[in-house]
Amino acid sequence: MSAHDAAGGAAGAATPPAPGRALAAEVDLLAALAYGELTGFLHLAQDAAGAPTVPDRAALGALAVAEFEHYRLLRDGLQALGADPTAAMEPFAPAVDSYHERTAPSDWLEGLVKAYVGQGIATDFYREVAALVGAPTRELVHRVLADAGDADPIVDAVRQAIRDEPRVAGRLALWARRLVGEALSQAQRVAADREALSAVLVEGGEGAPGADLVELGRMFNRITEAHVRRMQRLGLTA
Amino acid sequence: MSAHDAAGGAAGAATPPAPGRALAAEVDLLAALAYGELTGFLHLAQDAAGAPTVPDRAALGALAVAEFEHYRLLRDGLQALGADPTAAMEPFAPAVDSYHERTAPSDWLEGLVKAYVGQGIATDFYREVAALVGAPTRELVHRVLADAGDADPIVDAVRQAIRDEPRVAGRLALWARRLVGEALSQAQRVAADREALSAVLVEGGEGAPGADLVELGRMFNRITEAHVRRMQRLGLTA
């Protein structure tokens, strides 16, 4: 959780949307997240179809469905901001689609690690950015991200696979590093393309302070630490 | 709706599961449906990934998610009957998987027709069988089947495709006939394999009458008529 979580309480649910760039940044935030959740749903469901057993398929299916529910909430949030969800999501398709094209799992285990590690980083990142925008949008993002589905079956399956064949751990650790690298490079692409979204990071949005460079550094530290914890939980070296 | 819907009110929610063959038939019914919904979810989600536009992907994704929610309800229903869902579903995997292998859509439109026509027939069939079992299971099945998701986007997309290129209608009509043929042949395979399930059709379950041959004939007529109505709604010749 960011230190900014409790800040910016001036904007209430009844407050009209913030004008200009702050609104554009909120629309961008929800739209990037919405497209990511819809696409994540489709990819996770495909991974679920390749799962070795019916309970595995059901467990990964449940995670996929949780992402689709997020997409629905975010689409409604975009409409509440007066945005057309499809048009708002469109600019984020190249980055999100490229991420998935470059990180197509070659087997079931890579799919599990991608679901847990890739999703985890994305979730942390969106939560941090949400701390910098007005209250209604921030609360929507936090609500969406709080319900991430049950990741325990993923963690159990990966740990079991490593117990069964320890050398799998090296390959999966490399894979996770590639996931992080691709996620960062696509995030940079988005930051370069979407001025309003980048500006809100340093200048703040409606009813919320911006992050100075020190705070940005802390933010990346928090995201990195959470990533390392997830890797440890899987039994992998970060 | 079957004429049997109102019958068999003797069994209430607090009644213990019916013993022996009637219970086996109820477990079979829920398990076949559960495996069908889980598998349908996975296939629909894959079709959604191949949809041409983001709104199409979201619309088909929503139908897929509705199937997963059904799966969850049915899995809980199996547990309530004292059955292990995974073990109960297993005998139905060959028939359901064969149906999907033999009806892999070659394009987006065939996927839409399969989602609407294939799902429609399966839904009608399960609803008819449910009329023949005890009240708690019957009500669960009816509750699951009542919420089929919003099929309007499918119908609109197919009709639009036929307006854009009328000769598509012939190919899709043939495709729908193949779907029906494959569904019937897999249903026969299940009926031959699962004695308890077939027996309940003619002899009735706990607190519900069986269907005699005349009633079975009517049942197939109702299913056929509903199929013809769906085909007409799509703008296709049945």
Side-chain angles (χ1 to χ4, degrees), chain A residues 85-141:
Chain A
T86 304
M89 288 191 289
E90 196 261 321
F92 300 100
V96 175
D97 290 349
S98 291
Y99 169 74
H100 285 289
E101 275 159 29
R102 287 156 189 270
T103 60
S106 70
D107 66 7
W108 161 239
L109 276 176
E110 289 190 0
L112 289 184
V113 171
K114 182 177 170 183
Y116 185 62
V117 168
Q119 274 303 105
I121 286 199
T123 297
D124 286 343
F125 176 72
Y126 284 118
R127 193 181 279 127
E128 294 281 354
V129 176
L132 305 172
V133 300
T137 294
R138 179 172 67 241
E139 282 154 19
L140 171 60
V141 172

Side-chain angles (χ1 to χ4, degrees), chain B residues 178-194:
Chain B
R178 195 168 128 211
L179 293 173
V180 174
E182 290 295 343
L184 282 179
S185 98
Q186 297 305 330
Q188 275 166 348
R189 178 173 172 178
V190 168
D193 277 2
R194 308 300 293 175

Side-chain angles (χ1 to χ4, degrees), chain B:
Chain B
M1 280 286 141
S2 156
H4 290 307
D5 273 353
T15 311
R21 199 162 65 172
L23 174 60
E26 297 197 13
V27 168
D28 270 3
L29 172 62
L30 295 187
L33 191 42
Y35 190 79
E37 295 281 356
L38 178 60
T39 310
F41 157 72
L42 296 169
H43 283 274
L44 263 182
Q46 274 175 295
D47 294 344
T53 71
V54 170
D56 287 335
R57 268 176 257 166
L60 215 54
L63 288 178
V65 166
E67 297 210 31
F68 193 82
E69 300 303 342
H70 298 168
Y71 159 74
R72 272 208 260 241
L73 285 171
L74 293 159
R75 180 199 58 194
D76 296 347
L78 284 166
Q79 282 167 339
L81 289 178
D84 169 41
T86 303
M89 288 190 290
E90 196 261 321
F92 301 100
V96 174
D97 291 348
S98 292
Y99 169 74
H100 285 290
E101 275 159 29
R102 287 156 189 269
T103 60
S106 69
D107 67 7
W108 161 240
L109 275 176
E110 288 190 0
L112 290 183
V113 171
K114 182 177 171 184
Y116 185 63
V117 168
Q119 275 303 106
I121 286 199
T123 298
D124 286 342
F125 176 72
Y126 284 117
R127 192 179 281 128
E128 294 280 354
V129 176
L132 305 171
V133 300
T137 293
R138 179 172 67 241
E139 281 154 19
L140 171 60
V141 172
H142 284 173
R143 188 151 56 93
V144 163
L145 298 180
D147 163 42
D150 180 11
D152 286 348
I154 291 190
V155 172
D156 292 346
V158 172
R159 297 190 73 102
Q160 183 62 51
I162 294 172
R163 270 195 301 274
D164 291 348
E165 193 172 343
R167 68 193 176 126
V168 144
R171 172 168 72 88
L172 293 180
L174 271 177
W175 167 245
R177 246 164 273 162
R178 195 168 128 211
L179 293 173
V180 174
E182 290 295 343
L184 282 179
S185 98
Q186 297 305 330
Q188 275 166 348
R189 178 173 172 178
V190 168
D193 277 2
R194 308 300 293 175
E195 262 182 68
L197 193 58
S198 322
V200 83
L201 276 173
V202 278
E203 295 166 27
E206 190 72 3
D212 57 22
L213 278 180
V214 174
E215 177 52 28
L216 275 183
R218 285 193 193 122
M219 177 173 142
F220 279 103
N221 272 344
R222 285 190 295 267
I223 293 178
T224 307
E225 282 165 14
H227 169 66
V228 170
R229 277 195 301 275
R230 275 188 295 270
M231 292 290 282
Q232 286 169 340
R233 223 187 133 203
L234 291 176
L236 299 175
T237 313

Side-chain angles (χ1 to χ4, degrees), chain A:
Chain A
M1 278 289 143
S2 157
H4 289 307
D5 274 355
T15 311
R21 200 161 64 170
L23 174 60
E26 297 198 13
V27 169
D28 269 3
L29 171 62
L30 295 187
L33 191 42
Y35 190 78
E37 295 281 355
L38 179 60
T39 311
F41 156 73
L42 297 169
H43 283 273
L44 264 182
Q46 274 175 294
D47 294 344
T53 70
V54 169
D56 288 334
R57 267 176 259 165
L60 216 54
L63 289 177
V65 166
E67 297 211 32
F68 193 83
E69 300 302 342
H70 298 166
Y71 159 74
R72 273 207 259 241
L73 285 170
L74 293 159
R75 181 200 56 195
D76 296 348
L78 283 166
Q79 282 167 338
L81 290 177
D84 169 41
T86 304
M89 288 191 289
E90 196 261 321
F92 300 100
V96 175
D97 290 349
S98 291
Y99 169 74
H100 285 289
E101 275 159 29
R102 287 156 189 270
T103 60
S106 70
D107 66 7
W108 161 239
L109 276 176
E110 289 190 0
L112 289 184
V113 171
K114 182 177 170 183
Y116 185 62
V117 168
Q119 274 303 105
I121 286 199
T123 297
D124 286 343
F125 176 72
Y126 284 118
R127 193 181 279 127
E128 294 281 354
V129 176
L132 305 172
V133 300
T137 294
R138 179 172 67 241
E139 282 154 19
L140 171 60
V141 172
H142 283 172
R143 188 151 56 93
V144 164
L145 298 179
D147 163 41
D150 180 12
D152 286 350
I154 291 190
V155 172
D156 292 346
V158 173
R159 297 190 72 102
Q160 183 61 49
I162 295 171
R163 269 195 301 274
D164 291 348
E165 194 172 341
R167 67 190 177 128
V168 144
R171 172 167 71 87
L172 292 181
L174 272 178
W175 168 245
R177 247 164 273 163
R178 197 169 126 210
L179 293 173
V180 173
E182 290 295 342
L184 282 179
S185 97
Q186 298 305 330
Q188 277 166 346
R189 178 174 171 178
V190 168
D193 277 2
R194 307 302 293 175
E195 263 182 68
L197 193 58
S198 322
V200 83
L201 275 173
V202 279
E203 295 166 26
E206 190 73 3
D212 59 21
L213 278 181
V214 174
E215 178 52 29
L216 274 182
R218 286 193 192 120
M219 176 171 142
F220 279 103
N221 273 345
R222 284 191 294 268
I223 293 177
T224 306
E225 282 165 15
H227 169 66
V228 170
R229 278 196 300 275
R230 274 187 296 268
M231 292 290 281
Q232 286 169 339
R233 225 188 133 203
L234 290 176
L236 299 175
T237 313

